[in-house]
Amino acid sequence: MMRKAAACLVLMQGVAAQTVLSPLRAAYAAVPPSSHASLLLPFDARTAVAAFWSGPDFVVVADQSLPALSHLSGAQGLFSSPDVTVLERATVIRLHLPAHPQLSFSRQSDGWILQTDGSDHAGSSSERSAGSVPVFMPGAVLFPQKQAGRVLTLPDPASGQRLLIAPSLSVTGGVPQGRRAEGYSIRPSLEGLVIAADSPQIALRGTAEGVVLDAVALDPLPVGEKEVFSAPASASVVARGADWVWLGFGSAGGGQKASSRQPSRLDSAQTAFAAGQPWQALRVLDRTPASEAPATSTSTSTSTSTSKAARNDTVQIAGTFLHAAASLLAGHTGQAQGLNDARFGDAPATRVWRGLYLMQTGQNSQTASTLLAAGFAQMQAYPAAVRALMVPQAATYVARFGDAASAALLDPLPDESAYDLARALLQARAGQAETARVALENLTASSSAQTAAYARAALVGLMLEKDMLAPATAAEAYGKLLENEGQPATLPSGPKATIRLGQAHAFALAGQPQAALAVLDRVLAGPDVPEDVLSSGYLAILRGLVFPETVRGAPAGGAALAAPFSAAERIGLIAAHLPHVEDGPAKAKLLAGYGRLLLAGGRLDAAMAAFGQAALLQDNPVAKADAEDLLAQAALQAHRLDVVQRALDRARHPGLPDDLATQCAYDAARLAVALDDPDKALSLLEQDETDAGLELRGQVYEALKRWPEAVLVLGRLATRSVPEDGVLTEPQQALVSRLATDAAAAQDSATLLRLKGWLAGRTLGVEQDERFAMQIRSIKPLSPAH
């Protein structure tokens, strides 16, 4: 306890090498009393919030999608133009406040209120929750937050750095002063917890005790109390871990009890579990009478009381862990949540059980496979009956979903038939296609209906991947597997989900996205299709709808869709399935393409929403700037000039490619025209002699009715764009007609005559030919020759 207290003191006070000065104190600018402003954010009691600075912006993040806030506006002053982005699972409000005024953020009955008056607020020391002090544990840091909301991952709006955000339902006062640590830093905040992750290992998750920060990797960073981590430890070392004590395996394994005393209920449950009977262990634990539950000793002897209390605490921990582990292996995942909590989820001896829990509940496959691979030797040291229940399926899972480093830790697999499926999958991953194919074909005749079904699905997938089957043929083959005709047993649910995932992929490759989505809509996240894998499946199919040229086998510049889709049908399919794709940079790219489709279809509000989401979710500064510029273009068409200005301000970046920087300048010029500032627009364009620059400058002069200057600019453009002979294209006809009209307005007879000679009888279209003839007839003769 002394060590934990000291560690907590260091965190809260900071040290010279670690402390980050809070912008809430260090970057305050004095705000005159007359500039007092307030903004009510009408979040209900079920919405958790976090509030913090990101560069020049003050950011409030809510863990709910709140479309009603899209048109939020402040009454006056600093908060008059909040920028609201509504995501699928969160709402982000940004206020541009470069001077960093002193703010307070407090809870009221009708929501949260943000103020600039500097009065006492929810972050005051008297109101801050005592639970906000972090607790250091081996391998993790617990931030007690009894009413934490959904943990969110977003790029920092200012830097693009990955932020792990734990909003709060109740007042905590946030974190007044930040701290740096290896791989991450804690950001100052007015509410909620905000972690800036420098390393991809760093993760944050919610538990019943609060939010837990840890590192997930085969060789994790020393988060929490400093310990030496290695991946994986030898079986002789892990066999002596706390897991063996709690599960009752003993120092030598097998669950044998050396004591001659009457076994307790816990002993009996441990013996059943070690014998591979988790359901029997649960029966024993669930009927443990109250008389055997741990109780506080009333002995007058201090040493005896302390000894009994410690013994009772040990028994209680063992019983809790055993119950959770038995529940997991018995298929009762709802009773196994404790394996993901702060006590067991990060302890070196029990992290592998958290991996098993994540696997069985269909959570992130990369986290689960990493934990399972790191603990593979540990599981192999368990009694044989327990190994049989967990290790083969863990090996198959890592072989399917783990990265290369995780898969390498499975080698060598035990020489037992239970590992044949995992072995074949690893052979396929290693490029041994023929060896894997033969192995899978042999497994299709397995006496286990489940193994045979998995093998059939994997065989079709392998043949599709190696171009032994065409996508349409593979989709048909998967369909026959789902029909399960001729098989002696019903198709198990696990292989069924795997087959549907494969069929959706095959349909997508065959250019049938509608069929692919229909199949995927019948798949629920689970151990065979983890949530991130399901999200990636939707992402791949939607990418083919948004960017059809990316579909395998698509002709250059065209779509490879088996059935033609109207723009409205494509947009409808995309809109209906976008919520299935998890937020992140990959979705940001998809949203940008989707926004272009909406913009082309004139759906300006929807396009603006898509571009705004894309910009917020993008962590690459150039891609973010591109999305912001697209947002500006959509907002220009919608005449939302405030949105245009904010988007162009955020698009500014010193490293933009020339073409994007030029496009941003064009949009800034268009905004200046819309704001009745043509001189600014022309100053932005005066050095630009590109076709696009001349075209835009001509539009500005035309809007100002400065016809002679318009003629000069469009004349230069026409000399490049309009050939001296040959049929004119429609854009060329339009340009000549426009130039003629400007010349007529400028009474520029010379230009009109040059155009007449240039056209040499070529047509501009029936109506335009008649108009041009009238313009020529209006010319006053310049000499007898005319």
Side-chain angles (χ1 to χ4, degrees), residues 51 170 206 273 345 426 561:
S170 59
F273 186 86
L426 291 176
L561 303 181

Side-chain angles (χ1 to χ4, degrees), residues 289-379:
S291 60
E292 290 193 20
T296 302
S297 173
T298 57
S299 171
T300 56
S301 169
T302 302
S303 60
T304 301
S305 175
T306 302
S307 175
K308 286 185 177 180
R311 199 160 50 242
N312 285 341
D313 187 52
T314 300
V315 169
Q316 186 177 48
I317 293 174
T320 300
F321 181 73
L322 178 61
H323 193 281
S327 296
L328 186 68
L329 296 191
H332 306 314
T333 53
Q335 300 178 38
Q337 293 177 351
L339 300 176
N340 193 44
D341 70 9
R343 173 184 288 174
F344 303 127
D346 297 285
T350 54
R351 269 169 80 93
V352 69
W353 284 92
R354 178 180 159 212
L356 288 165
Y357 174 77
L358 297 179
M359 176 185 77
Q360 293 292 4
T361 52
Q363 298 187 51
N364 186 275
S365 66
Q366 292 308 298
T367 300
S369 59
T370 298
L371 295 173
L372 291 173
F376 194 63
Q378 176 182 341
M379 291 188 290

